[in-house]
Coordinates of all heavy atoms in Angstrom, one line a residue:
F728 N 114.8 44.7 106.4 CA 113.9 44.2 105.4 C 112.5 44.2 106.0 O 112.2 43.5 107.0 CB 114.3 42.7 105.1 CG 113.3 41.9 104.4 CD1 113.3 41.8 103.0 CD2 112.3 41.2 105.1 CE1 112.3 41.0 102.4 CE2 111.4 40.4 104.5 CZ 111.4 40.3 103.1
E730 N 108.5 43.3 105.4 CA 107.5 42.8 104.6 C 106.2 42.6 105.4 O 106.3 42.3 106.6 CB 107.9 41.4 104.0 CG 106.8 40.7 103.2 CD 107.2 39.5 102.4 OE1 108.3 39.0 102.6 OE2 106.4 39.2 101.5
I732 N 104.3 40.3 106.4 CA 104.1 38.9 106.7 C 104.0 38.8 108.2 O 104.5 39.7 108.9 CB 105.4 38.1 106.1 CG1 105.2 36.6 106.3 CG2 106.7 38.6 106.7 CD1 106.3 35.8 105.6
G920 N 110.3 41.0 99.5 CA 109.6 39.8 99.8 C 108.6 39.4 98.7 O 108.3 40.1 97.7
C921 N 108.1 38.2 98.9 CA 107.1 37.6 98.0 C 105.9 38.5 97.8 O 105.2 38.3 96.8 CB 106.7 36.2 98.5 SG 108.1 35.1 98.4
I922 N 105.6 39.4 98.7 CA 104.4 40.2 98.6 C 104.5 41.1 97.4 O 103.4 41.5 96.8 CB 104.2 41.0 99.9 CG1 102.7 41.1 100.2 CG2 104.9 42.3 99.9 CD1 102.4 41.3 101.6
W951 N 100.0 36.0 102.3 CA 100.3 35.1 103.4 C 99.0 34.6 104.1 O 99.1 33.7 105.0 CB 101.3 35.7 104.4 CG 102.6 36.1 103.7 CD1 102.9 37.4 103.4 CD2 103.6 35.3 103.3 NE1 104.2 37.4 102.7 CE2 104.6 36.1 102.7 CE3 103.8 33.9 103.3 CZ2 105.8 35.5 102.1 CZ3 105.0 33.4 102.8 CH2 105.9 34.2 102.2
F997 N 106.9 30.2 92.9 CA 106.6 29.1 93.8 C 105.0 28.9 93.6 O 104.5 27.8 94.1 CB 106.9 29.4 95.3 CG 108.3 29.4 95.6 CD1 109.0 30.6 95.9 CD2 109.1 28.2 95.5 CE1 110.3 30.6 96.2 CE2 110.5 28.3 95.7 CZ 111.1 29.4 96.1
N1052 N 111.7 40.2 92.9 CA 112.2 39.7 94.2 C 112.9 38.4 94.0 O 114.0 38.4 93.6 CB 111.0 39.5 95.1 CG 111.3 38.9 96.4 OD1 112.3 39.3 97.1 ND2 110.6 37.9 96.9
E1053 N 112.2 37.2 94.3 CA 112.9 35.9 94.1 C 112.5 35.3 92.8 O 111.8 34.4 92.7 CB 112.5 35.0 95.3 CG 113.3 35.2 96.5 CD 113.0 34.3 97.6 OE1 112.0 33.5 97.5 OE2 113.7 34.3 98.6
H1110 N 119.7 35.7 98.8 CA 118.9 35.3 99.9 C 119.4 34.0 100.5 O 119.7 33.1 99.7 CB 117.4 35.0 99.4 CG 116.7 36.3 99.0 ND1 115.4 36.3 98.6 CD2 117.1 37.6 98.9 CE1 115.1 37.5 98.2 NE2 116.1 38.3 98.4
Y1112 N 118.3 31.5 103.6 CA 117.6 30.9 104.8 C 118.2 29.5 105.0 O 117.8 28.6 104.2 CB 116.1 30.9 104.6 CG 115.5 32.2 104.4 CD1 115.1 32.6 103.2 CD2 115.3 33.1 105.5 CE1 114.5 33.9 103.0 CE2 114.7 34.3 105.3 CZ 114.3 34.7 104.1 OH 113.7 36.0 103.9
E1139 N 118.1 39.1 102.2 CA 117.3 38.3 103.1 C 118.1 37.2 103.6 O 118.6 36.4 102.8 CB 116.1 37.7 102.4 CG 115.1 38.7 101.8 CD 113.8 38.0 101.2 OE1 113.5 36.9 101.7 OE2 113.2 38.6 100.3
A1182 N 115.9 38.7 107.6 CA 114.5 38.7 107.2 C 113.8 37.4 107.8 O 114.5 36.4 108.0 CB 114.4 38.6 105.6
P1183 N 112.5 37.5 108.0 CA 111.7 38.7 108.0 C 111.9 39.5 109.3 O 112.5 39.1 110.2 CB 110.3 38.2 107.9 CG 110.3 36.8 107.6 CD 111.6 36.3 108.1
W1193 N 105.6 32.7 109.4 CA 107.0 32.3 109.1 C 107.8 32.7 110.3 O 107.7 33.7 110.9 CB 107.4 33.2 107.9 CG 108.8 33.1 107.4 CD1 109.9 33.4 108.1 CD2 109.2 32.6 106.2 NE1 111.0 33.2 107.4 CE2 110.6 32.7 106.1 CE3 108.6 32.2 105.0 CZ2 111.4 32.3 105.0 CZ3 109.4 31.8 103.9 CH2 110.8 31.9 103.9
Ligands
AHR869 O1 111.1 36.6 104.3 C1 110.0 35.7 103.9 C2 110.1 35.3 102.5 O2 111.2 34.6 102.2 C3 110.1 36.5 101.5 O3 108.8 37.0 101.2 C4 110.7 35.9 100.3 O4 111.4 36.8 99.5 C5 111.5 34.7 100.8 O5 111.2 33.6 100.2

Side-chain angles (χ1 to χ4, degrees):
F728 163 94
E730 175 166 19
I732 183 172
C921 291
I922 212 154
W951 299 105
F997 291 113
N1052 176 46
E1053 277 185 350
H1110 294 182
Y1112 297 104
E1139 294 186 28
W1193 177 297

